[in-house]
């Protein structure tokens, strides 16, 4: 089979890992020995998920039910199973991807924004009489077309407005700001009970809001393949499928790997690397100018938009031209917009600072904004791993003497410190199918 040509995504993967390798000041022999060791460890040796059973969500599950499953199981993401395929040995037929709690909330926010636009457009558009901008945006937000999708969205908008004491007779078009402001709290009440939320399925939003491809490995695969997928190839989780069986047996996340690394403290191979200051390992793998941040007085929606546009899971919240860090927000935090109606009712005008303060007020005992996790350039990799694992977070911010943000270290970056990719490993191991899914 002819080798596939490398596309833009493959180039970005290579550029990231080449930067990592060029900055690590570790003996080549040590890196080769450690990489070879991970190549000999089978995936089956990695601890199973809590309870030993991977939670799956059928593709025809409604958005509301999906939220309930994730919440009750205390997980942030789950594989999406094709309910039309009962018996198959091909995982490509059985699974459609992975749904993330944050992706659902992003969809909800965008849909709510469309409903607000429908209200602001006037009673005719809000009632679904005219197509116009509201209809077009509704189709885009829902990932579908046709009058049913548009009508469902605008019916929900009108229902929310009426519940809030607004009606066409009161003149929505003349009082659009009031209509939009009233939308939030009432929209929250109907969000999982009315259309389009009640009938919108996980499958219909999966493609538009998917952050990463679905690429499983077999139980007899090597841990090196998993570590490369979680680091170089930027996956947040890797499903594990038993050879000859299409069902998922395990679900390995970046966070689980970091916890596993921390438990290796005291072993020679781990200490040999983790005892180094992060600066010797080339961390952070970015320049200060490359750090994506948000000012505390910006809108929280702008923060979430930056995360989505840059495909990153969190941002430092900074103040002033020196970007002094005062907090952090992550993609997981947007769930508070659904859990706290008072936040959802004003999400379009809510600043990052007010968002953090409101969340902090709900935290038992402290009532204060949680301090962002930071480190200095002279701290050891071991201390960074301990901080990430013990706080169960995905990133730590590198700061200077003036508390200004100079870089970010993610779970992906930490995993990258322990491995490199042997020549032709990707082509020989993952194969053409995986290259297609990774967009290479």
């Amino acid at each position: 089979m002819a080798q596939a040509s490398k596309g833009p995504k493959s180039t970005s993967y290579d550029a990231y890992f080449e930067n990592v390798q060029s900055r690590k000041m570790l003996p080549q022999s040590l890196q080769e020995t450690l990489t070879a060791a991970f190549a000999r460890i089978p995936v089956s040796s990695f601890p199973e998920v809590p309870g030993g059973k991977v939670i799956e969500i059928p593709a025809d599950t409604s958005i509301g039910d999906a939220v309930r499953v994730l919440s009750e199981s205390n997980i942030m993401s789950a594989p999406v199973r094709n309910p039309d395929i009962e018996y198959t040995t091909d995982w490509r037929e059985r699974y459609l991807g992975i749904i993330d709690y944050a992706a659902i909330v992003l969809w909800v926010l965008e849909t709510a924004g469309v409903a607000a636009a429908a209200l602001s457009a006037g009673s005719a558009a809000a009632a679904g009489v005219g197509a116009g901008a509201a209809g077009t945006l509704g189709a885009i937000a829902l990932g579908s077309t046709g009058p049913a999708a548009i009508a469902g969205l605008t019916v929900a908008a009108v229902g929310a407005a009426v519940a809030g004491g607004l009606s066409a007779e009161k003149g929505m078009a003349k009082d659009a700001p009031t209509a939009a402001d009233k939308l939030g709290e009432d929209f929250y009440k109907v969000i999982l009970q009315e259309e389009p939320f009640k009938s919108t399925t996980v499958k219909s939003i999966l493609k538009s809001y998917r952050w990463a491809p679905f690429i499983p490995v077999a139980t007899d695969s090597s841990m090196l393949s998993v570590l490369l997928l979680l680091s170089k190839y930027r996956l947040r989780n890797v499903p594990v499928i038993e050879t000859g069986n299409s069902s998922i047996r395990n679900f390995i996340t970046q966070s689980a790997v970091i916890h596993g690394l921390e438990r290796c403290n005291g072993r020679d191979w781990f200490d040999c690397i983790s005892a180094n200051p992060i600066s010797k390992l080339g961390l952070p793998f970015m320049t200060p100018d490359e750090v994506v941040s948000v000012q505390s007085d910006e809108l929280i929606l702008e923060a979430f938009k930056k995360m989505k546009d840059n495909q990153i899971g969190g941002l430092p919240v900074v103040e002033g031209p020196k970007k002094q860090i005062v907090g952090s927000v992550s993609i997981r935090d947007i769930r508070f917009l659904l859990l706290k109606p008072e936040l959802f009712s004003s999400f379009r005008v809510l600043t990052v600072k007010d968002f953090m303060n409101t969340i902090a007020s709900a935290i038992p005992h402290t009532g204060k904004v949680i301090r962002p996790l930071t480190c200095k350039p002279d701290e050891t990799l071991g201390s960074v791993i301990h901080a990430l694992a013990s706080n169960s977070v995905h990133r730590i911010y590198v700061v200077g003497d003036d508390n200004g943000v100079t870089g970010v270290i993610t779970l992906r970056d930490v995993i990258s410190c322990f491995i490199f990719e042997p020549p032709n490993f990707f082509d020989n191991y993952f194969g053409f199918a995986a290259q297609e899914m990774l967009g290479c």
Side-chain angles (χ1 to χ4, degrees):
M1 179 184 293
Q3 182 175 341
S5 60
K6 293 190 175 183
K9 284 191 177 181
S10 177
T11 302
S12 68
Y13 297 144
D14 290 338
Y16 165 80
F17 224 52
E18 286 171 4
N19 182 39
V20 171
Q21 304 311 317
S22 66
R23 298 182 61 154
K24 281 193 297 187
M25 293 179 284
L26 294 175
Q28 185 67 23
S29 59
L30 172 61
Q31 297 188 58
E32 291 176 351
T33 299
L34 194 53
T35 296
F38 281 121
R40 292 192 297 269
I41 300 174
V43 170
S44 57
S45 66
F46 196 86
E48 293 184 342
V49 296
K53 181 177 176 59
V54 177
I55 302 296
E56 299 179 0
I57 296 180
D60 56 1
T61 302
S62 71
I63 296 297
D65 287 340
V67 169
R68 277 188 282 274
V69 170
L70 294 174
S71 299
E72 291 171 2
S73 304
N74 194 30
I75 55 178
M76 290 298 296
S77 60
V80 177
R81 177 170 48 82
N82 186 351
D84 299 328
I85 304 295
E86 293 187 15
Y87 305 103
T88 180
T89 58
D90 189 347
W91 58 265
R92 295 173 185 82
E93 296 178 353
R94 185 176 179 85
Y95 296 101
L96 302 180
I98 294 175
I99 189 68
D100 186 277
Y101 195 113
I104 292 175
V105 184
L106 280 173
W107 172 81
V108 168
L109 292 181
E110 290 193 15
T111 307
V114 173
L119 282 176
S120 300
S123 57
V129 176
T136 303
L137 289 172
I140 294 173
L142 294 173
S144 59
T145 58
I150 298 170
L153 175 64
T154 50
V155 165
V158 172
V162 172
L166 297 169
S167 65
E169 287 73 22
K170 288 187 178 182
M172 292 185 201
K174 296 179 181 179
D175 198 14
T178 302
D181 286 341
K182 284 287 186 180
L183 176 63
E185 184 174 354
D186 297 308
F187 198 84
Y188 173 82
K189 294 175 183 177
V190 301
I191 209 160
L192 298 179
Q193 302 169 14
E194 304 291 341
E195 299 297 350
F197 312 100
K198 186 170 64 176
S199 61
T200 300
T201 63
V202 168
K203 180 180 180 179
S204 66
I205 73 169
L206 185 63
K207 184 176 181 179
S208 298
Y209 294 87
R210 184 176 64 187
W211 282 53
F214 182 87
I215 303 180
V217 298
T219 51
D220 58 357
S221 300
S222 73
M223 278 304 299
L224 177 59
S225 63
V226 173
L227 297 182
L228 283 170
L229 286 171
L230 294 175
S231 56
K232 177 177 179 178
Y233 296 105
R234 206 175 182 178
L235 300 192
R236 288 178 170 83
N237 39 60
V238 177
V240 179
I241 294 178
E242 188 174 1
T243 303
N245 187 330
S246 63
S247 298
I248 295 178
R249 309 294 297 179
N250 203 357
F251 201 62
I252 303 177
T253 64
Q254 289 177 331
S255 184
V257 169
I258 296 301
H259 280 85
L261 286 173
E262 189 195 24
R263 289 192 289 271
C264 294
N265 186 35
R267 298 186 181 183
D268 291 344
W269 65 266
F270 177 81
D271 293 348
C272 195
I273 293 179
S274 64
N276 286 283
I278 57 174
S279 57
K280 186 174 180 179
L281 293 164
L283 291 166
F285 300 134
M286 62 174 63
T287 65
D289 291 340
E290 293 174 319
V291 177
V292 181
S293 62
V294 62
Q295 291 282 336
S296 63
D297 58 357
E298 290 187 77
L299 296 180
I300 189 63
L301 280 185
E302 181 61 24
F304 296 144
K305 183 178 184 298
K306 286 183 178 182
M307 293 182 214
K308 183 181 179 184
D309 291 346
N310 292 280
Q311 291 286 285
I312 53 179
L315 299 171
V317 180
V318 301
E319 291 183 347
K322 293 185 178 181
K323 295 185 177 181
Q324 294 178 311
I325 190 167
V326 296
S328 65
V329 290
S330 77
I331 199 72
R332 294 187 295 177
D333 291 335
I334 61 179
R335 69 189 188 278
F336 286 104
L337 292 175
L338 291 187
L339 299 175
K340 297 182 71 63
E342 66 272 24
L343 285 181
F344 190 82
S345 65
S346 60
F347 75 87
R348 290 169 301 99
V349 295
L350 193 68
T351 66
V352 174
K353 184 176 182 179
D354 289 340
F355 177 76
M356 292 192 302
N357 287 335
T358 305
I359 293 177
S361 66
I363 298 175
H365 309 304
T366 64
K368 298 180 180 179
V369 174
I370 298 177
R371 295 182 60 185
L373 202 61
T374 62
C375 67
K376 294 294 182 66
D378 58 353
E379 292 189 36
T380 66
L381 179 62
S383 65
V384 166
I385 291 175
H386 174 72
L388 290 168
S390 59
N391 289 278
S392 295
V393 295
H394 286 214
R395 61 196 52 78
I396 186 170
Y397 302 103
V398 184
V399 297
D401 294 335
D402 60 355
N403 213 36
V405 179
T406 60
V408 183
I409 299 175
T410 65
L411 302 185
R412 177 195 188 195
D413 297 332
V414 171
I415 296 171
S416 299
C417 289
F418 289 87
I419 56 170
F420 71 92
E421 184 175 19
N424 301 317
F425 185 87
F426 180 82
D427 297 325
N428 296 337
Y429 187 89
F430 293 121
F432 184 70
Q435 292 182 40
E436 284 188 310
M437 285 178 284
L438 283 168
C440 299

